[in-house]
Amino acid sequence: MGDSSNSNVQKAEELKLRANDAFKANKFCQAVELYDQAIDLNGSNAVYWANRAFAHTKLEEYGSAVQDATKAIEIDPKYSKGYYRRGAAYLAMGKFKEALKDFQQVKRICPNDPDATRKLKECEKAVQKIRFEEAISVGDTERRSIADSLDYHIIEVEPQYTGARIDGDTITLDFVKQMLEDFKTQKCIHKRYALQIVLQARDLLRAVPSLVDVNVPNGCHFTVCGDVHGQYFDLLNIFELNGLPSEDNPYLFNGDFVDRGSFSLEVILTLFAFKCLYPTGMYLARGNHESKSMNKIYGFEGEVKSKLSDTFVELFAEVFCCLPLAHVINKKVFVVHGGLFSVDGVKLSDIKAIDRFCEPPEEGLMCEILWSDPQPQPGRGPSKRGVGLSFGGDVTKRFLEDNNLDLVVRSHEVKDEGYETMHDGKLITVFSAPNYCDQMGNKGAFIRFSAPDLKPDIVSFSAVSHPDVKPMAYANNFLRMFQ
């Protein structure tokens, strides 16, 4: 008995070392699988649980990271890394007060650790700032529209400005092309034109329902892209490969335009400008990162303040609340950012009826649309992310049958080839940010649908080079510490 248990402990240790190597090579899924095997052989080693928590954090599976770190703490209440990993996962979820408690515990266990001291200070500052913002904030009902108080006509363009210009009120293709070139050289467009683009896009987005019906005539095609996450040069590459958006070459970008990548402003202004230029050549859906809480943590807020102004931060937050939540192509293909629902029987009319003009709630249909993920096993389960849920192929099948649809397309998750087909071919994940965060080594993809058959034609592509600005360059200082 003793020999077999010693042998298990030894095998588990070997697996842990292999998992650590996979982690160092940015192969986080492989690392999780190897830590799984080590835990199966020796589940009483707190290090394995804490290490797996870190790998889950890298995969943005923060709910799973919290569970694993909690298990490490249960096994060894004096193991500082357990609290550290859980605190980092809570931070990534925006749960600052819970994170603060964990970092305080790290400091108690390691009072002389300068790193723990520094991180605790940063976390305390973040919590104080949030408490101050909560104290001075006004309720949604009292909040005035920032967009209604802004007028781009009164902003002077200085004579020395040499970038792209809009004459009058109409955004032209020449302007957009010049803007794209300016962005390539890291020149920002004038605030007047940025404001004009955002306000005109807002008017167009406000006018559409929460679920948009897209009609693709026979013989025509339609392209769906997944998360771009501020990777502007990869966005340009999509247009190189598949043509610029136009009425004859329409696109749907399926949420998560911003955050993490450090060219998020360039991405969102490009997408909004094409929306203004070709309202039925550019469709945009909300992702979970088109929200104040995410933008505060993952870089978009800091980037907008740095490149434009605080006023634009408020304006983008307001306009993101105008983005529709779902699209249906030719009454057959259902497209959402995250996924399906915690209850059966949801009809397209229920989605159309969602009042989306708000920050995403923490539960309900709108939350699930933005946050849910598919799972291989049937039924429903808890979300690895700690928000939304996981849903199986049976859930997908019933939703499609209930609404007389053929296919679900969603985004929201990094995939090695840029896409993955699941649930008996009834669900496709598409993700369009290759080498995500400059470290995942994944491809990006987009899907072209041709009418009338709407068979998905998936194109994978690799990352292109970009100027030397690191991902998360504008993210919250304390979050960057844990990357």
Side-chain angles (χ1 to χ4, degrees), residues 90-373:
Y90 276 139
L91 263 187
M93 293 165 84
K95 296 189 172 182
F96 301 100
K97 290 163 194 174
E98 289 91 334
L100 182 59
K101 285 180 199 157
D102 279 335
F103 293 129
Q104 285 165 340
Q105 191 61 29
V106 173
K107 185 79 171 82
R108 275 195 282 275
I109 296 168
C110 315
N112 302 319
D113 181 338
D115 188 49
T117 306
R118 194 166 56 94
K119 284 178 173 153
L120 177 60
K121 276 204 178 112
E122 279 296 331
C123 204
E124 283 169 341
K125 273 200 306 209
V127 171
Q128 279 168 348
K129 186 164 181 267
I130 284 156
R131 286 190 177 132
F132 175 70
E133 284 169 357
E134 282 171 357
I136 62 166
S137 72
V138 294
D140 280 346
T141 46
E142 302 161 54
R143 191 171 285 123
R144 306 271 278 280
S145 160
I146 182 96
D148 289 342
S149 69
L150 297 170
D151 181 1
Y152 62 86
H153 296 96
I154 61 173
I155 299 175
E156 291 289 327
V157 179
E158 302 79 7
Q160 62 268 37
Y161 172 72
T162 57
R165 290 174 179 266
I166 305 171
D167 287 328
D169 290 336
T170 307
I171 292 167
T172 63
L173 181 58
D174 283 345
F175 163 77
V176 174
K177 284 180 172 173
Q178 181 61 55
M179 178 181 79
L180 299 188
E181 289 302 313
D182 287 352
F183 286 162
K184 276 190 202 171
T185 59
Q186 294 180 263
K187 262 171 44 181
C188 201
I189 58 167
H190 197 280
K191 282 179 188 173
R192 174 190 169 116
Y193 306 130
L195 183 58
Q196 182 171 346
I197 289 166
V198 179
L199 290 176
Q200 290 185 0
R202 170 186 177 251
D203 289 343
L204 291 163
L205 294 168
R206 260 204 316 184
V208 300
S210 291
L211 181 146
V212 177
D213 286 300
V214 178
N215 179 43
V216 184
N218 286 352
C220 297
H221 63 267
F222 188 82
T223 302
V224 179
C225 297
D227 306 33
V228 181
H229 273 303
Q231 297 186 194
Y232 174 70
F233 293 84
D234 293 306
L235 173 66
L236 291 186
N237 188 38
I238 292 171
F239 295 153
E240 277 292 312
L241 296 169
N242 196 55
L244 284 176
S246 68
E247 305 289 3
D248 297 326
N249 188 32
Y251 283 82
L252 162 57
F253 280 84
N254 195 27
D256 282 13
F257 321 121
V258 301
D259 279 340
R260 293 200 175 269
S262 296
F263 303 96
S264 291
L265 181 65
E266 289 81 355
V267 166
I268 195 65
L269 288 175
T270 297
L271 297 178
F272 277 0
F274 275 116
K275 181 70 188 168
C276 298
L277 187 59
Y278 305 119
T280 59
M282 176 62 77
Y283 293 85
L284 300 168
R286 193 172 194 172
N288 61 304
H289 275 267
E290 277 69 55
S291 71
K292 273 188 203 172
S293 59
M294 292 286 116
N295 297 162
K296 198 177 279 298
I297 301 171
Y298 289 101
F300 185 57
E301 180 179 299
E303 185 181 341
V304 172
K305 282 181 177 177
S306 168
K307 293 177 180 176
L308 289 170
S309 70
D310 288 18
T311 303
F312 273 92
V313 172
E314 276 187 75
L315 178 61
F316 276 114
E318 186 176 311
V319 177
F320 286 165
C321 293
C322 302
L323 287 161
L325 303 175
H327 291 76
V328 175
I329 307 168
N330 286 8
K331 299 189 165 40
K332 289 295 169 197
V333 180
F334 178 71
V335 191
V336 283
H337 178 71
L340 299 181
F341 309 101
S342 54
V343 292
D344 284 338
V346 175
K347 292 288 207 288
L348 296 181
S349 55
D350 299 320
I351 299 167
K352 211 163 240 180
I354 295 171
D355 179 5
R356 70 183 188 277
F357 296 95
C358 60
E359 287 302 309
E362 290 189 12
E363 56 187 20
L365 297 187
M366 180 168 167
C367 169
E368 290 162 5
I369 278 171
L370 298 177
W371 281 96
S372 295
D373 294 298

